[in-house]
Amino acid sequence: MAVVKTLEHFGCSVDFPQAQTCCGQPQFNNGYPQEARPLAERMIRVFKNSAYIVTPSGSCAAMIRDHYPELFKDDPAKHQEALDFAARCYEFVEFLTRVLKVDVSKLTLPDPQRFTYHYTCHLRGLGTTGEPCISLLKQLKGASFIPLEKAEQCCGFGGTFAVKYPDISGAIVRDKVQCGQKTGADVMIVNDGGCAMNIGGACHRQHGDFAVKHIAEVLASAIDAGESR
Amino acid sequence: MTAKAAGSSPGSLRHSLPVFNPDFMREAALTSADEALHTALDNSVTKKDYGRRATLAELPDSDALRTLAGDIKRHTLDNLDYYLAQLEANVQKHGGHVHYALGRDDANQLVIDIARQTNSKLIVKSKSMVSEESELNHALEKAGLEPLETDLGEFILQVDNDHPSHIVMPVIHRNAKDIGRVFERYFKVPYTDDPQSLAEMARVYLRQRFNQADMGISGVNFAIADTGSIVLCTNEGNGRMCTSRPRVHVAIMGMEKIIPEMRDLPIFLKLLARSASGQALTQYTNIITGPRRADEHDGPDEFHLIIMDNGRSRILAGDYRDTLRCIRCGACLNACPIYRKVGGHTYGSVYPGPIGALITPLFNGLAEHKHLPHASSLCGACYEACPVKINIPEMLIHMKKDQIDQGIAGFGEKLIFRLWTTGLRYGWTYRLGQFAQRVGMRLLPHKDGWITRLPGPAKGWTAIRDFPQPPKNNFRTLWNQRRVDRGTPEGKR
Ligand code: SF4
C-alpha cells in the first residue's frame, strides 16, 4: 500500500485492476516465449484504460518495455498495442522523478535513519541509474545516505537462477550482505521484489543488522508522519 | 606465394573446443565456497572493471564509440568472404603466406609443417586464445618441438601444467605464494613470493630463450584487410620479441578477427585496452605487415598467417552471428557477478565468463555444457560492459529456447512452466494458486516471519537464505478492504 499512498499523496488517482497477474518474465527468461505471450496479452488487455502503469518492481517494467513489443513482432496490431502499453509503463522511482517530478524535501522521516542503496539490475534495461532514487533519499529530512560498496553488482537473484544454482547465487548474495553490513546503515533500499526477497532472506539467515526496504515504504512512512502531525 | 587450405573433412569428430571440466555443478559448488578465490578475483577483476568505467568515461562519447565498433564488426561479419579474400591478397602482396585451417587439428598441423620446413625447434609464443582452442602446445610437443610461452602468466601455467582462467589475465586464479612454489621447483632456486623477484627470474630466463628461438608464434588482436597487417596489443613486450627476433613468425587468428581498414583501427584501440584493463592503450601496440624487407634491420625472414575456422562458419550462418564480434577484451568477465564467484575453470573450456557461457555450447553443441546458458542471473552487466555491444543476456535466453526446441531441456521443467503459466492465465486459477501458496506456507518451518525450509524444486532458495512468510493480509485483500470502506466499485477510483 506504500506505493498507493505515495502516488496519491502526490496527486495521482490510483487503480488496481484485479484481473492482473504476472508479466511473464520468468517464462520469457527461461526460454518459453510462447508461455509468456498469453500473459503479456492479458496484461495489455487489463491495463487498456490506464494512463500510466506504475510498478514497484522495476524488472517487470523492464520486461514490458524491452520484450513485450518483440513478443508480438509477427502481429502488427498486437505489436502496436505492446509498444503503446510499454510507453505508458514506468518503474516507481522513474515515474516519481521523470513524470511527476516530485519534491520530497518537505517530507520528514518519523525517526532519523541511515540508508544505503543497492542498484538493482533491471535499471540497466530501463536505461537509468540509481541516482534518481539516491537523490530522493538525500532530499528526505531525517535520512542520511551511505554509499554501498559494489552497489552495481547483481545480488544473485536472477529469478529461477537463485533456486537452480543456490551455491553461486548464495556466494553472490553473501557478498552483498557483507557490503551492506560494512556501511553500518539501518536500511538498504532495494527497489525490486525479487532482489529484496533475496537480500532480505540472506540478511536474515546471516543475522545481518540492516533492514531491506522499498523506497516507497520509506516515503510512505514520512507521509504518514506528516499526516499524523 | 599461395594460400593453402588444410583439412578437408568439415566438423571433425572432436569437439571444436577442448573440455577440461565437464561437471559444471561440482566445480561451481567448490569454487563458490572458495573465499580465497573470491578475494583474489575481487582484487583483480573487480578493480579492472572500475578501471574500465573510469577510462571509458574519459572519452567524449564512449557509448557512441561502442555502437560504432559493433557496427563495423557486424558489417565485417556480413561480408566476411570479401574481407578474407582482401586480407589474403594484401598479406601475400607484402611477402607473407596465408593458410586456412578448418579444424583445430588442421591449424596445429600447419604450424608443425612450417616448423619442419624451416628447421625450427625452439618456438617462443606470445599469448593467443586461438592456440588454447587448438591445444597447440600439446600438439607441438608431441611432434618433438619445443614451444615456450613467454607471456608471464601463460609461462607460469605452462610450467605448472595448468590452464588459463581468464581471457586476458590467464593466471588470475593463482597467488604469489603459489607461483613462488612453482618457480622454486622449476628454476631450482630458493623460495620467494616477492612478485618483483619472480617476474625478474622469468624475464632473465625468457630473454635468453628469445635469442635462441627459431620460430615465434603470436595471436592476432586485429587483422586489417586493406593493408594486410596484423595488430598485436601486449603489455609485457614479449609479443614484440616473439615476432621480431626469430627467423620465422607464425600468427594464428580466428577468422572473425578482421577489421576492414586501417582507419578503423584507432576506434578499436581506444576501446580494447580500456575495456580489458582500464588502460588508455596497452604498453605495446605492434602493427606488422609482412616479413622483414630487404632494407630493414630486424624482423623475421618468413611471415605466415593461419586463419582458423574451427566451427566459426557454422556460428556465422546461425542465429548467434553477433558472438563473432567479440574482440576478447575480457570486460564481460570482469563485470560478471558469476565469474567473480566461480572463476574461469568452472566454465569447463577455454572461454570463461559470459562470452564463454555463450560460445562454448555453440562450439561444442548445445547438448554439451547444458548448464552454461542457465547459470546466469541475466543481470546485464556483460552487455553493459561489452565494447562491441554483444547482447549476451538476450542470446543466453535464446539459447535456452533452442535447448527446449531441440528437446534438451527436461520434461519436468517444461511441465512446471506450463502449470505456472496456466496458473497465471486465468483469474480463478491465479486466486486458487495464491490461496494454496498462502495456506501452504503457513505449514512450513519458520522463524520470526521467515520460512527456513522450502520444499521440492524451491529448496534451493532456502539452502542459503530464508523466504519471507506471506503477510496475513496481502495487497489484494487490503485493496479490496479499502474499496469496500470507500464504497467504490472496482474499476472506479
Ligand atoms: S563479449 Fe564483449 S566484453 Fe566479452 S570479451 Fe568479447 S568483446 Fe569483450
Side-chain angles (χ1 to χ4, degrees):
Chain A
M1 295 305 277
V3 171
V4 178
K5 169 159 279 178
T6 312
L7 290 175
E8 286 181 342
H9 175 84
F10 289 111
C12 302
S13 75
V14 183
D15 183 27
F16 180 83
Q18 300 270 339
Q20 63 180 295
T21 60
C22 167
C23 69
Q25 184 180 200
Q27 285 73 6
F28 184 85
N29 278 353
N30 281 288
Y32 296 89
Q34 72 284 9
E35 306 279 336
R37 219 165 277 132
L39 299 177
E41 279 173 18
R42 186 180 172 98
M43 288 291 279
I44 295 173
R45 199 168 60 238
V46 166
F47 286 104
K48 217 176 194 109
N49 299 319
S50 311
Y52 295 103
I53 300 98
V54 177
T55 155
S57 261
S59 63
C60 315
M63 167 75 197
I64 289 165
R65 266 201 242 156
D66 282 0
H67 300 302
Y68 270 24
E70 171 197 333
L71 275 175
F72 301 105
K73 61 176 186 288
D74 298 328
D75 183 335
K78 281 190 184 156
H79 181 78
Q80 192 48 51
E81 276 178 17
L83 282 174
D84 173 57
F85 179 54
R88 287 180 290 137
C89 190
Y90 287 87
E91 183 264 346
F92 177 70
V93 173
E94 198 184 22
F95 187 71
L96 288 187
T97 53
R98 278 198 206 160
V99 179
L100 297 180
K101 302 200 170 61
V102 298
D103 172 12
V104 300
S105 59
K106 291 196 183 66
L107 293 177
T108 308
L109 287 174
D111 303 299
Q113 276 188 315
R114 288 161 301 171
F115 292 91
T116 192
Y117 174 84
H118 163 64
Y119 174 104
T120 45
C121 298
H122 63 262
L123 295 178
R124 290 193 182 96
L126 295 172
T128 170
T129 66
E131 278 316 309
C133 185
I134 292 172
S135 74
L136 286 182
L137 278 173
K138 287 183 175 165
Q139 286 171 35
L140 262 185
K141 283 204 197 76
S144 54
F145 174 73
I146 310 159
L148 179 68
E149 207 182 293
K150 291 186 263 179
E152 76 305 322
Q153 178 174 278
C154 170
C155 71
F157 172 63
T160 44
F161 168 78
V163 178
K164 272 195 195 165
Y165 302 95
D167 290 331
I168 308 175
S169 169
I172 300 174
V173 71
R174 263 199 305 280
D175 196 351
K176 185 62 69 185
V177 172
Q178 275 163 18
C179 291
Q181 286 290 97
K182 263 195 238 166
T183 62
D186 307 303
V187 178
M188 185 190 287
I189 297 295
V190 181
N191 294 338
D192 191 280
C195 313
M197 254 186 342
N198 182 38
I199 303 173
C203 184
H204 187 254
R205 178 69 63 91
Q206 293 174 46
H207 311 292
D209 301 318
F210 60 88
V212 171
K213 284 192 183 158
H214 192 283
I215 184 72
E217 296 177 76
V218 178
L219 294 174
S221 74
I223 293 166
D224 271 340
E227 281 173 357
S228 63
R229 218 166 278 158
Chain B
M1 310 293 153
T2 51
K4 287 172 245 154
S8 46
S9 63
S12 60
L13 286 175
R14 291 217 297 152
H15 282 140
S16 292
L17 298 182
V19 178
F20 307 122
N21 278 321
D23 191 345
F24 179 85
M25 288 307 257
R26 213 197 86 215
E27 213 49 43
L30 291 174
T31 47
S32 50
D34 185 346
E35 303 268 342
L37 176 72
H38 302 165
T39 311
L41 290 170
D42 249 352
N43 288 337
S44 43
V45 297
T46 309
K47 278 215 184 95
K48 300 271 181 205
D49 187 50
Y50 287 122
R52 171 183 62 79
R53 291 159 196 263
T55 43
L56 280 171
E58 291 163 1
L59 298 173
D61 189 350
S62 65
D63 187 62
L65 199 68
R66 287 164 56 229
T67 305
L68 180 61
D71 287 346
I72 293 172
K73 273 288 185 183
R74 181 194 295 131
H75 163 83
T76 315
L77 292 167
D78 290 347
N79 301 282
L80 195 58
D81 48 351
Y82 172 81
Y83 287 115
L84 274 171
Q86 195 188 9
L87 175 71
E88 180 190 317
N90 285 323
V91 171
Q92 289 169 348
K93 200 170 90 191
H94 291 106
H97 305 266
V98 177
H99 313 262
Y100 291 95
L102 195 56
R104 56 191 175 113
D105 293 338
D106 306 321
N108 294 345
Q109 192 55 50
L110 280 165
V111 180
I112 294 169
D113 291 346
I114 297 168
R116 297 229 165 100
Q117 282 155 23
T118 57
N119 246 330
S120 302
K121 180 138 170 50
L122 177 60
I123 301 174
V124 282
K125 243 185 111 245
S126 82
K127 210 176 138 18
S128 145
M129 285 312 290
V130 167
S131 74
E132 299 290 337
E133 256 182 56
S134 71
E135 297 183 282
L136 178 61
N137 287 346
H138 284 297
L140 295 180
E141 278 165 13
K142 256 211 216 136
L145 301 165
E146 204 184 323
L148 177 68
E149 293 286 354
T150 62
D151 172 273
L152 180 57
E154 294 281 355
F155 172 72
I156 296 162
L157 297 176
Q158 187 187 20
V159 302
D160 202 42
N161 249 319
D162 196 359
H163 300 290
S165 69
H166 189 286
I167 301 178
V168 178
M169 300 173 277
V171 73
I172 200 164
H173 58 293
R174 311 286 297 259
N175 57 38
K177 286 203 176 69
D178 228 6
I179 295 164
R181 279 186 291 273
V182 173
F183 277 18
E184 182 187 11
R185 278 196 302 275
Y186 186 75
F187 289 122
K188 311 208 166 34
V189 291
Y191 170 84
T192 168
D193 53 23
D194 170 41
Q196 208 86 50
S197 326
L198 291 169
E200 185 59 17
M201 241 183 271
R203 201 186 74 88
V204 170
Y205 173 71
L206 291 172
R207 177 72 39 163
Q208 162 209 349
R209 302 295 272 165
F210 279 126
N211 288 329
Q212 300 162 339
D214 308 298
M215 180 194 271
I217 295 180
S218 75
V220 174
N221 287 100
F222 305 100
I224 303 171
D226 78 335
T227 61
S229 315
I230 65 153
V231 182
L232 281 185
C233 305
T234 71
N235 272 326
E236 296 173 11
N238 64 312
R240 187 165 289 184
M241 294 295 281
C242 287
T243 56
S244 59
R245 197 77 186 92
R247 287 182 284 117
V248 185
H249 172 201
V250 179
I252 313 181
M253 62 182 263
M255 67 181 211
E256 79 284 16
K257 283 276 164 169
I258 302 190
I259 55 175
E261 296 179 24
M262 185 60 89
R263 61 169 194 173
D264 300 326
L265 183 63
I267 297 164
F268 288 93
L269 290 182
K270 266 189 185 150
L271 289 170
L272 178 63
R274 285 186 167 85
S275 305
S277 49
Q279 295 167 281
L281 265 184
T282 45
Q283 297 292 340
Y284 299 87
T285 303
N286 280 17
I287 303 177
I288 299 171
T289 314
R292 177 167 56 87
R293 315 277 195 284
D295 59 343
E296 287 173 348
H297 287 297
D298 47 25
D301 301 335
E302 285 185 28
F303 171 70
H304 296 263
L305 179 62
I306 298 178
I307 303 175
M308 185 165 96
D309 183 328
N310 196 32
R312 287 168 171 77
S313 33
R314 190 165 32 82
I315 297 174
L316 187 73
D319 290 347
Y320 300 90
R321 175 176 290 187
D322 281 357
T323 59
L324 294 173
R325 285 191 212 169
C326 176
I327 59 172
R328 304 278 188 262
C329 71
C332 58
L333 282 64
N334 300 348
C336 177
I338 320 285
Y339 180 86
R340 289 175 185 181
K341 295 301 171 213
V342 302
H345 289 168
T346 305
Y347 294 80
S349 184
V350 290
Y351 295 113
I355 188 67
L358 190 56
I359 64 177
T360 306
L362 290 177
F363 274 115
N364 282 357
L366 297 196
E368 212 74 21
H369 313 283
K370 267 191 272 197
H371 281 289
L372 289 184
H374 297 269
S376 161
S377 65
L378 301 175
C379 73
C382 48
Y383 180 35
E384 186 185 66
C386 180
V388 286
K389 295 200 171 176
I390 303 175
N391 194 337
I392 298 176
E394 197 171 289
M395 281 193 276
L396 289 173
I397 294 174
H398 192 88
M399 187 174 277
K400 293 186 205 176
K401 181 174 182 306
D402 282 351
Q403 280 189 344
I404 298 161
D405 293 346
Q406 293 178 22
I408 297 165
F411 174 74
E413 189 193 285
K414 267 194 239 176
L415 190 68
I416 289 175
F417 275 98
R418 173 50 57 84
L419 284 173
W420 191 353
T421 307
T422 310
L424 295 169
R425 256 182 101 162
Y426 312 101
W428 69 273
T429 49
Y430 183 72
R431 284 191 295 274
L432 183 70
Q434 289 236 313
F435 175 75
Q437 209 178 347
R438 232 170 330 142
V439 174
M441 286 203 178
R442 287 217 193 104
L443 304 173
L444 293 167
H446 54 85
K447 206 176 111 200
D448 34 86
W450 295 85
I451 296 166
T452 50
R453 204 149 21 86
L454 286 170
K459 67 174 183 293
W461 183 275
T462 41
I464 47 107
R465 73 215 119 194
D466 297 328
F467 191 83
Q469 268 194 311
K472 250 214 207 76
N473 291 315
N474 67 5
F475 179 82
R476 274 170 205 264
T477 318
L478 293 172
W479 177 263
N480 280 332
Q481 191 54 50
R482 198 180 87 140
R483 198 158 51 86
V484 172
D485 291 350
R486 294 188 177 182
T488 38
E490 181 171 6
K492 293 274 157 33
R493 282 138 229 188

